[in-house]
Amino acid sequence: MATITSLVDTTTTTNQGKPGDTVQISGTALASTVRVNFGAATVAPTSVTSTQVTFVIPNTAPCSGQVSVSVTSSAGATSNSLPFFVIATPTTTALSVTCVSAATGGPVTLFGSNFLSGTQVGVGGVGNVTVAPTLPSQVSFTAPADLTQVATVATHPVTITTGGGTSTSGTTLIDYYLPPTITSVLPTSGTAGDQITVNGTNFVGVITVTFTDSTAATATAVFAPVSDTQLVATVPPGLATGLGSITVHSCGGDSNAQAFTIT
């Protein structure tokens, strides 16, 4: 009678896998095998030798969990059984942040389910990051920078690949922002309460406008966006007079410091 000694999924190289994977059964007296018993399902083998039988995990396999695998010969004799673990397909539900800087990337935590056999997180066309999740519902990684980005904001799907496959693309998204740049401020000097026009590029999703005075003290200004290239900021109170600067901050990072004199 046939005896099976090991089960190896050719994709994961373990006794774990997903529907559609090919599994190699090794053992003895396997030459007369006519079917593989995969849990409650019966599967026709794809190849048979005296020491090895291969088959494809059926789509009728359970979503996850342990199943028993054995083989049956043409004479109706069934071998011993060994356990095989069906790995569920991962799903993603959310991210700890909605955006990162295209210039630097940044730390992100991905939330979802069935992560434990994860091998990599993919960020759209930006790149893949190797991961080793320790929790089934979340994994932390560093999103890679995208130094080729042209648009001010680019949206990318975030996916995770595990032994159970790759999560659905488009379910969880992250925005990459180019850093803002200031080209000029008008006027170039002012006192508390004055409105200053700030010109530049990538003024999308601006979070703060900061004035720095001659003593390196800083204050956050009230501002109003005008367009992707212009905003109006009000000089905040409490700053020392003299030469200082203005910076703009968004998810893309900090802009250059543009000279501005507090009067």
Side-chain angles (χ1 to χ4, degrees):
M1 187 173 70
T3 299
I4 61 177
T5 56
S6 68
L7 304 172
V8 177
D9 184 297
T10 59
T11 299
T12 66
T13 67
T14 68
N15 67 334
Q16 303 178 34
K18 65 184 185 301
D21 286 358
T22 295
V23 177
Q24 294 178 344
I25 301 174
S26 297
T28 58
L30 300 176
S32 62
T33 297
V34 292
R35 74 170 184 264
V36 176
N37 308 301
F38 191 85
T42 58
V43 185
T46 55
S47 68
V48 175
T49 70
S50 61
T51 58
Q52 191 173 87
V53 172
T54 62
F55 72 98
V56 175
I57 300 174
N59 290 327
T60 55
C63 294
S64 63
Q66 180 178 316
V67 297
S68 293
V69 178
S70 60
V71 297
T72 299
S73 70
S74 56
T78 299
S79 72
N80 63 307
S81 63
L82 291 180
F84 187 89
F85 299 86
V86 179
I87 306 173
T89 302
T91 61
T92 63
T93 56
L95 296 167
S96 59
V97 297
T98 59
C99 56
V100 294
S101 169
T104 62
V108 181
T109 299
L110 175 64
F111 300 97
S113 61
N114 305 318
F115 286 2
L116 277 180
S117 62
T119 57
Q120 67 179 24
V121 169
V123 182
V126 181
N128 298 321
V129 179
T130 300
V131 294
T134 58
L135 294 173
S137 59
Q138 68 183 68
V139 62
S140 296
F141 66 99
T142 300
D146 185 3
L147 302 181
T148 65
Q149 182 169 318
V150 176
T152 300
V153 181
T155 302
H156 299 281
V158 178
T159 58
I160 184 169
T161 298
T162 72
T166 300
S167 62
T168 302
S169 179
T171 300
T172 305
L173 305 172
I174 192 166
D175 292 329
Y176 272 57
Y177 279 65
L178 291 180
T181 301
I182 301 176
T183 55
S184 66
V185 294
L186 295 173
T188 57
S189 64
T191 191
D194 289 352
Q195 289 193 322
I196 308 300
T197 298
V198 183
N199 300 301
T201 59
N202 303 322
F203 289 174
V204 175
V206 172
I207 300 169
T208 56
V209 176
T210 301
F211 283 70
T212 301
D213 68 15
S214 57
T215 68
T218 61
T220 301
V222 174
F223 71 93
V226 176
S227 69
D228 293 357
T229 60
Q230 190 175 82
L231 58 83
V232 174
T234 301
V235 180
L239 294 173
T241 58
L243 180 63
S245 63
I246 298 175
T247 55
V248 173
H249 176 76
S250 76
C251 228
D254 290 323
S255 72
N256 56 301
Q258 186 73 20
F260 183 80
T261 300
I262 306 294
T263 58

